[in-house]
Amino acid sequence: MSSQVTQKSPEHVAIIMDGNGRWAQMRGKPRLFGHQEGARRVRDIVMACAEHGVPYLTIFAFSTENWKRTQTEVSGLMSLFKRYIRREAANLMKNGVRVRFIGDRTRLEPVLVDMMEELERMTEQNVTVNLTIAINYGSRDEVGRAVRNIARDVAAGRLDPEAVNELTLSGYLDTHVLPDPDLVIRTSGEARVSNFLLWQSAYAEYEFIDTLWPDFTAEEFEKVLGRFGKRDRRFGAVVG
């Protein structure tokens, strides 16, 4: 089996958008100011995906662990998500961006869930870029929910337990309609994956970038894509 050489751009890029709070604190501003700037940066990277032929982009907006932050910050983030949907819906439609949300919606306020579902319906025919936003998402939580659903289907006789394999689990994940990520980027200099797309990223390439998310420009994104394009992805194979 020969190695597989990547194309110019990955099919699916996933980003851990880290560093908003530090960016704000370095400027003497509250953390929410950094989150607001980070939300503006999303638009630039979505458009860069369209420009460079990256059809799938997944961004980590709020983790299942982020509820541990102060009530002020959590409430501010939830308000920011609603404001983002209101402000960006027309722009997303104009640019042919399809939006999906992944994560456990049961803990989110109903008004936000309604807005998320409406944006999903509004953009479902768009094909230029598939933007997936992870809100109240954790990979372990996602796998746990998937396994519970598999167990229910086995118990109900809808699924043969002997037929369960890794493809079965993939089909029960929030991301079952998406290709696995080819490239995972984390900004802010932290070198950890933070419970993000753990199952799906088994063979992804990783880039840990020192730049804080609000400063991560389309130009820097292009450089990361260029480095990815030079990598030799072997998927466990031995060359030679």
Side-chain angles (χ1 to χ4, degrees):
M1 182 176 179
S2 62
S3 64
Q4 182 171 336
V5 179
T6 63
Q7 299 177 351
K8 180 180 179 181
S9 294
E11 181 182 22
H12 185 179
V13 175
I15 303 179
I16 302 171
M17 306 180 296
D18 196 18
N20 291 335
R22 273 172 284 167
W23 185 91
Q25 291 170 336
M26 289 167 60
R27 290 159 176 77
K29 302 286 187 178
R31 290 176 60 85
L32 281 173
F33 179 77
H35 293 307
Q36 292 166 0
E37 289 301 309
R40 295 187 181 97
R41 182 60 64 198
V42 171
R43 178 190 287 188
D44 297 337
I45 301 305
V46 170
M47 292 301 95
C49 284
E51 179 182 351
H52 295 289
V54 178
Y56 291 90
L57 172 67
T58 298
I59 57 175
F60 204 2
F62 189 88
S63 79
T64 50
E65 289 76 30
N66 287 156
W67 296 103
K68 300 173 185 176
R69 296 184 179 185
T70 66
Q71 184 58 45
T72 298
E73 185 171 359
V74 170
S75 297
L77 283 166
M78 295 302 153
S79 296
L80 179 60
F81 296 149
K82 288 182 282 189
R83 190 157 62 247
Y84 175 83
I85 291 173
R86 283 193 297 266
R87 291 182 176 179
E88 291 297 317
N91 187 61
L92 292 164
M93 284 296 299
K94 175 184 176 182
N95 291 290
V97 179
R98 178 172 185 172
V99 180
R100 297 179 177 90
F101 293 92
I102 58 173
D104 183 1
R105 304 184 189 192
T106 59
R107 193 171 177 180
L108 302 177
E109 58 182 291
V111 172
L112 175 57
V113 174
D114 288 345
M115 294 176 69
M116 291 160 56
E117 292 176 349
E118 176 58 26
L119 186 60
E120 287 178 322
R121 286 192 294 269
M122 182 189 309
T123 62
E124 64 183 357
Q125 300 301 317
N126 294 343
V127 297
T128 302
V129 176
N130 291 267
L131 172 63
T132 302
I133 304 173
I135 296 181
N136 195 29
Y137 174 86
S139 191
R140 290 182 174 182
D141 174 75
E142 176 190 30
V143 171
R145 288 186 283 110
V147 170
R148 287 195 297 274
N149 287 329
I150 289 173
R152 291 188 187 104
D153 283 349
V154 168
R158 293 187 294 265
L159 182 64
D160 178 1
E162 297 302 319
V164 175
N165 56 28
E166 63 183 74
L167 294 178
T168 307
L169 180 57
S170 294
Y172 280 78
L173 296 177
D174 297 351
T175 56
H176 65 276
V177 298
L178 305 175
D180 287 344
D182 304 293
L183 172 63
V184 179
I185 301 169
R186 182 177 185 138
T187 58
S188 87
E190 301 291 348
R192 56 181 180 269
V193 297
S194 294
N195 198 19
F196 182 51
L197 300 177
L198 301 180
W199 177 272
Q200 300 88 334
S201 300
Y203 286 101
E205 302 288 321
Y206 279 83
E207 281 270 354
F208 297 103
I209 308 297
D210 289 336
T211 306
L212 302 178
W213 174 248
D215 290 330
F216 186 71
T217 64
E219 291 74 22
E220 186 161 7
F221 182 62
E222 181 179 6
K223 292 178 182 178
V224 175
L225 294 181
R227 291 195 293 271
F228 173 88
K230 296 176 181 177
R231 294 186 181 185
D232 183 15
R233 303 184 70 199
R234 300 176 185 178
F235 299 94
V238 176
V239 176

